[in-house]
């Protein structure tokens, strides 16, 4: 795990704070996911996330928590922004779900996405495995300083090869990511349509500043994202869809202006649920191969003894 971004002093000093709030958000997602049972609604899940975080000192938000169940995880039929808000959809056995939350804690912002399923589902498990390929692809593209619009198109092509639909395109401006930053630490902060006004002001300020300099805080498929990666923190959220099932992760990517490839871009934290899941899967595969090799050696030895 990287711990510093030497070319960005203001980011270097803050990485621990951003890592803390991101871990807090993922702890919340895991805790709430463990409480989900059939019959709960998306509004119930969103409320549980709010309450969990408020008990731990969160008073401000980039956006309030979202929850999507069933085919809403793939944004099926979404046409207007209000459809993203938690609904009365009830959870049922075998149903996929996505939790998306963006707390501000001690002035630091996180925006995370957590995908799960109420019971085992081979398709959902396969999609989670395939999703992590996009984590590698995005990091590689940013380190190569490919234009953000081009990296977006690379993700599109990989999704097509995997057989999935791009569902982050359903977000406003079709974004796969957006910048986040620090905000003033206030006990309470007003919101507009579920979004914290302080965070929105910061995003608007970045948009104005970037417009003058030829970059955007929104990572989209459009021309305004046709520029190299801009230093700062980006909340990246690739979202796969297949026949009414959607999966995503969302986490912070640190981008610097360092010429060292590994220092130029890195994920803020590798100790996250979707990363641990892949590591556990690889460990299981290694153990299975080792067991098969031991069994093969044992059979060869028995055959040799028999001869």
């Amino acid at each position: 795990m990287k711990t510093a971004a030497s070319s960005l002093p203001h980011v270097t000093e803050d990485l621990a704070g951003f890592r803390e709030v991101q871990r807090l958000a993922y702890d919340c997602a895991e805790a709430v996911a463990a409480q989900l049972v059939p019959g709960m609604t998306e509004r119930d899940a969103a409320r549980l996330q709010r309450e969990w975080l408020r008990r731990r000192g969160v008073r401000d938000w980039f956006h309030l928590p979202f929850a999507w169940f069933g085919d809403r995880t793939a944004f099926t039929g979404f046409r207007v922004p209000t459809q993203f808000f938690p609904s009365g959809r009830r959870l049922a056995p075998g149903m996929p779900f996505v939790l998306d939350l963006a707390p501000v804690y001690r002035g630091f912002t996180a925006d995370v996405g957590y995908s799960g399923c109420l019971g085992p589902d081979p398709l959902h498990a396969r999609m989670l495995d395939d999703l992590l390929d996009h984590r590698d692809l995005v990091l590689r593209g940013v380190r190569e300083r490919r234009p953000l619009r081009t990296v977006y198109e690379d993700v599109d092509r990989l999704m097509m090869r995997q057989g999935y639909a791009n569902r982050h395109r359903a977000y406003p401006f079709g974004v796969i990511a957006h910048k986040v930053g620090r905000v003033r630490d206030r006990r309470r902060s007003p919101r507009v349509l579920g979004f914290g006004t302080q965070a929105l002001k910061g995003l608007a300020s970045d948009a104005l500043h970037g417009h003058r300099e030829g970059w955007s805080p929104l990572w989209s498929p459009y021309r305004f994202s046709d520029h190299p990666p801009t230093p700062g923190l980006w909340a990246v959220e690739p979202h796969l869809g297949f026949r009414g099932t959607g999966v995503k992760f969302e986490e912070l990517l640190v981008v610097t202006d360092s010429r060292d490839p590994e220092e130029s871009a890195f994920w803020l934290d590798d100790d996250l649920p979707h990363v641990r899941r892949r590591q556990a899967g690889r460990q299981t595969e290694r153990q299975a191969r080792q067991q098969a090799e031991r069994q093969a050696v044992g059979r060869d030895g028995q055959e040799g003894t028999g001869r």
Side-chain angles (χ1 to χ4, degrees), residues 95-267:
M95 186 176 281
F97 62 84
V98 171
L99 306 177
D100 190 310
L101 55 154
V104 175
Y105 184 62
R106 297 176 179 171
F108 297 95
T109 305
D111 197 348
V112 312
Y114 180 91
S115 296
C117 191
L118 203 64
D121 181 344
L123 169 63
H124 192 268
R126 172 64 183 272
M127 292 179 71
L128 288 177
D129 290 340
D130 291 341
L131 179 64
L132 268 292
D133 292 341
H134 296 272
R135 191 176 190 263
D136 299 332
L137 177 65
V138 167
L139 180 60
R140 185 166 60 251
V142 173
R143 284 178 169 175
E144 293 173 356
R145 290 301 190 248
R146 293 167 66 82
L148 295 182
R149 186 183 186 186
T150 301
V151 179
Y152 190 109
E153 293 167 348
D154 292 340
V155 169
D156 258 355
R157 284 189 285 270
L158 176 56
M159 287 186 180
M160 291 179 65
R161 290 197 299 272
Q162 293 173 324
Y164 301 124
N166 172 347
R167 298 315 300 142
H168 49 265
R169 191 178 285 271
Y171 292 123
F173 302 104
V175 297
I176 191 176
H178 57 84
K179 292 191 79 172
V180 301
R182 292 203 63 175
V183 300
R184 292 181 61 184
D185 187 15
R186 295 178 176 176
R187 182 168 179 79
R188 295 190 181 278
S189 179
R191 298 186 297 272
V192 176
L193 296 177
F195 286 79
T197 57
Q198 289 198 96
L200 288 178
K201 287 178 182 177
L203 196 61
S205 177
D206 272 350
L208 182 61
H209 184 64
H211 179 70
R212 290 196 295 261
E213 297 186 354
W215 58 272
S216 171
L218 302 179
W219 186 338
S220 83
Y222 302 114
R223 185 178 302 173
F224 58 75
S225 294
D226 201 6
H227 59 80
T230 307
L233 287 104
W234 293 81
V236 181
E237 50 183 332
H239 194 146
L240 312 181
F242 182 79
R243 296 181 181 176
T245 296
V247 299
K248 67 173 287 187
F249 69 77
E250 186 170 10
E251 60 172 303
L252 296 181
L253 177 68
V254 183
V255 179
T256 80
D257 56 9
S258 172
R259 293 187 178 182
D260 182 306
E262 292 192 1
E263 290 286 344
S264 68
F266 51 90
W267 295 107

Side-chain angles (χ1 to χ4, degrees), residues 255-296:
V255 179
T256 80
D257 56 9
S258 172
R259 293 187 178 182
D260 182 306
E262 292 192 1
E263 290 286 344
S264 68
F266 51 90
W267 295 107
L268 178 64
D269 194 351
D270 284 324
D271 189 15
L272 299 177
H274 48 285
V275 183
R276 293 195 297 267
R277 181 183 180 279
R278 176 164 66 174
Q279 292 169 343
R282 288 175 173 173
Q283 178 64 20
T284 299
E285 290 175 359
R286 284 194 295 269
Q287 292 172 347
R289 286 197 300 271
Q290 292 168 356
Q291 178 66 18
E293 290 169 359
R294 287 194 293 268
Q295 292 174 346

